[in-house]
Structures are given as structure tokens and as C-alpha cells.
Amino acid sequence: MKKTTLLKMAAVFLSTTAIAHAQYPNQPIRIIAPFAAGGSVDIVARMVGDPLGKALGTPVVVENKSGASGMIGAQQVADAKPDGYTLLANSSIHVIVPSLYPKITYDALNDLQPVSQITLVPLVLVASPSAPFKDVKEMIAWGKKQASGMSYASAGNGSTPHLAGEMLGEATGVSVVHVPYKGSGAAMLDVMGNQVPVMFDALTAVMSHIQGGKLKALAVASPQRVPTLPDVPTFAELGYPQFDLSTWHGIWAPKNTPKEIVDKLSGELARISHEPDMRKRIEDLGGQPVGNSPEEFDAFARSEYKKWGDMIKRFNVVLE
């Protein structure tokens, strides 16, 4: 085949590809939420999915593909065609599972392209209103008197609340005993009933119970106080600056998705995240809107991967 013919074919291919990208999107977009409906990942995916579809002029459908700590859904997106029509909505667990599960079958940092971080949600330490302490100082004193250690509940082994609880014991000198549950809902019920003294959870999960008086917030694990809980101190204020622990949510695309498509999605998601109505919805749940660039999200995700990975090694938490 002549060189000129090859050049013409390459030019036609590049031209056709450019036109396809310029016309993006021209079919429905799927957002895979790798957890059950009603959870925080599902909620955030649906919160941004509808306005994203309106902005792009195409339907955006959220599909729940739960199982294996989000790995089933993430694998599906990693294997999808990199054309911008299959996206992943996930939380900080996306960069935690590689350190927990040595047999993970995809590269969480490199097989999926960060698009935009949507939220940042601090963890909060909560107790029953009838707990035998009213603040963190009293909790520490009480916990040190417990011969068998101070129990704390969590949403499950390897979860961010589990790791935060281990960090609490390390920082305060209290001997802690982890009580894992299958999800934060069951854990919360036992903490409300004062069957387990305390637990960490994302503020989005417990905000309504705090506001309803079923749980009392002892401290938030964020650098600044949360506007919706202005009277609750930060751990830093109490002398524990290492407690900067948050969950977060974001959107990813398969590796090799064209940059112009990723940038288009990122720009719309950033704009949507900071619209007044969306900002209020996120803040009412106890979170902060982010809406950053792919590069900023990638750098943040990698730093979180290292932070949580170091904690997992330090506390010797590995799951099969």
C-alpha cells in the first residue's frame, strides 16, 4: 500500500474520531454505583446524574452493581469501552480496597481515569445520649477504666470507621476493642441503644440521628468545625491534629478515555457541584462540595491511597 494512501486513511480516521468526540454525547451515559441503592455512593451518583444529563442533553442512568466492597462494579467500568458512556461513582473505599485485598484484579489508580471529586465528608465520633460520658475527655477517662477495653462499632472490617477507631486507641492510649457489623445501619442501632459505647461514621450517615437526638456527636475528624454542627469540636482542637479523616465521593472513567471527553465531564461536574441547590444538598448531609479537575482529583486520590494504606499496614488489617 502506498504511503500516500496510508496517510489519507490515517487522516480520515483522525477526522472521524475528532467528529465523534465533538458530538459527545450522542447516546445515554451509564454511571455504575458499586453499592446497594440508598447508600451514600448511590445517593451522590443520583444527585449528580440528573443535572449532568440535563447539561449534556442525554439521559444519565445510574445502575447498582454491588458486591465485594465495590470491586465488582469498579471492575466492570475498568473493562468498559473508554468512550465516556460508562462511568464509575465511588467513595474513598476505591483507593482503600487495594491495600485490604491483595488479590484485587484491577489497578484502582491506573485502570480508571479520575474525572472529578464531588464531595468531602468528615468522619464523626458519636455515642448514645445515655453514654456514661459527655465529651471526648470523659470518654478517654472512662475507657481507660474498662478492664476489657472500650468497645467501638464500625460498618465492617477494613472500613474507614474501623481504621479510625484503631487510630483513636493509638492516639489516646485507650485499649479499644473492634466490634464489626454488616453495615453502618446495624452498628448505629446498637450505639443508639448504648450496647456499644461509640463509633465513627461519615457525617452524611449520622447527621439526621444527631439532629434528632438519637446520637450525640463528640468530635469531628476535620481541620475545621462543620457549619451544620457548630458546637461540636474538632479532634485537632482537643489535641489530636492527626485526626483529619474523611470519606469522599467521585467519578471515574475507564483508562484511555479521550482527554477532551474527560475534561468535558469534569467541567460539568465541577459546575454542578457548586450550584447553590447542589451545594446546599451536600452541606445539609454534612459534606463539602469539591468539583475539582481530573489532575487535582488524581493527586488527591493517590495521597489518600497512601494515607489509608499506611494505616492498614500499621494496624495489620488485611482481608482475603
Side-chain angles (χ1 to χ4, degrees):
M1 187 177 293
K2 293 182 179 180
K3 184 177 181 180
T4 53
T5 303
L6 287 172
L7 290 173
K8 287 179 180 179
M9 290 175 63
V12 169
F13 173 78
L14 292 172
S15 176
T16 303
T17 302
I19 292 170
H21 294 170
Q23 292 176 341
Y24 173 86
N26 56 23
Q27 66 187 62
I29 295 171
R30 293 190 305 154
I31 297 180
I32 304 299
F35 293 95
S40 66
V41 172
D42 176 69
I43 289 170
V44 171
R46 295 181 191 279
M47 279 173 57
V48 300
D50 184 56
L52 180 63
K54 290 177 180 177
L56 296 176
T58 194
V60 173
V61 181
V62 176
E63 296 182 9
N64 299 96
K65 300 287 184 181
S66 60
S69 298
M71 290 186 285
I72 291 175
Q75 181 73 70
Q76 181 176 339
V77 179
D79 292 340
K81 187 177 180 180
D83 55 7
Y85 291 104
T86 304
L87 306 175
L88 173 71
N90 209 345
S91 67
S92 50
I93 193 67
H94 180 69
V95 298
I96 294 174
V97 291
S99 299
L100 288 172
Y101 297 93
K103 297 178 182 178
I104 188 171
T105 56
Y106 61 91
D107 187 330
L109 293 178
N110 298 307
D111 288 346
L112 290 137
Q113 164 68 46
V115 177
S116 186
Q117 182 185 348
I118 306 300
T119 71
L120 184 68
V121 184
L123 296 183
V124 59
L125 180 65
V126 295
S128 166
S130 59
F133 42 80
K134 69 176 186 297
D135 55 31
V136 171
K137 183 178 179 180
E138 289 187 1
M139 181 205 70
I140 293 171
W142 179 84
K144 288 182 176 179
K145 293 178 182 177
Q146 306 310 302
S148 58
M150 183 181 75
S151 299
Y152 74 95
S154 87
N157 285 314
S159 63
T160 51
H162 171 196
L163 298 171
E166 293 300 312
M167 191 171 177
L168 179 69
E170 179 185 70
T172 63
V174 175
S175 176
V176 295
V177 179
H178 180 219
V179 183
Y181 287 77
K182 292 183 178 180
S184 65
M188 269 190 280
L189 286 175
D190 277 4
V191 175
M192 288 178 196
N194 203 25
Q195 296 174 27
V196 182
V198 295
M199 70 177 288
F200 279 94
D201 209 340
L203 199 47
T204 48
V206 296
M207 178 64 81
S208 64
H209 299 300
I210 294 170
Q211 293 173 333
K214 295 180 179 179
L215 289 169
K216 62 180 177 183
L218 302 178
V220 291
S222 55
Q224 293 84 34
R225 293 196 181 198
V226 176
T228 46
L229 295 174
D231 297 327
V232 179
T234 67
F235 276 98
E237 290 177 67
L238 301 175
Y240 305 101
Q242 66 270 50
F243 274 87
D244 183 4
L245 304 175
S246 298
T247 60
W248 43 268
H249 304 87
I251 301 293
W252 288 260
K255 180 179 68 174
N256 296 325
T257 299
K259 186 177 187 304
E260 51 266 44
I261 290 178
V262 172
D263 288 345
K264 185 171 186 176
L265 288 166
S266 179
E268 292 295 348
L269 288 167
R271 180 187 58 78
I272 289 166
S273 299
H274 290 283
E275 286 184 339
D277 287 350
M278 184 63 67
R279 173 180 286 275
K280 185 177 186 305
R281 290 179 70 182
I282 293 172
E283 290 178 346
D284 284 349
L285 291 171
Q288 304 167 30
V290 180
N292 54 11
S293 70
E295 294 76 18
E296 290 168 332
F297 186 22
D298 185 50
F300 174 74
R302 290 176 185 275
S303 70
E304 287 284 285
Y305 167 81
K306 184 179 187 309
K307 178 175 77 176
W308 291 106
D310 289 346
M311 288 177 64
I312 287 164
K313 289 178 183 177
R314 190 159 79 244
F315 301 129
N316 194 31
V317 181
V318 178
L319 307 180
E320 295 297 331

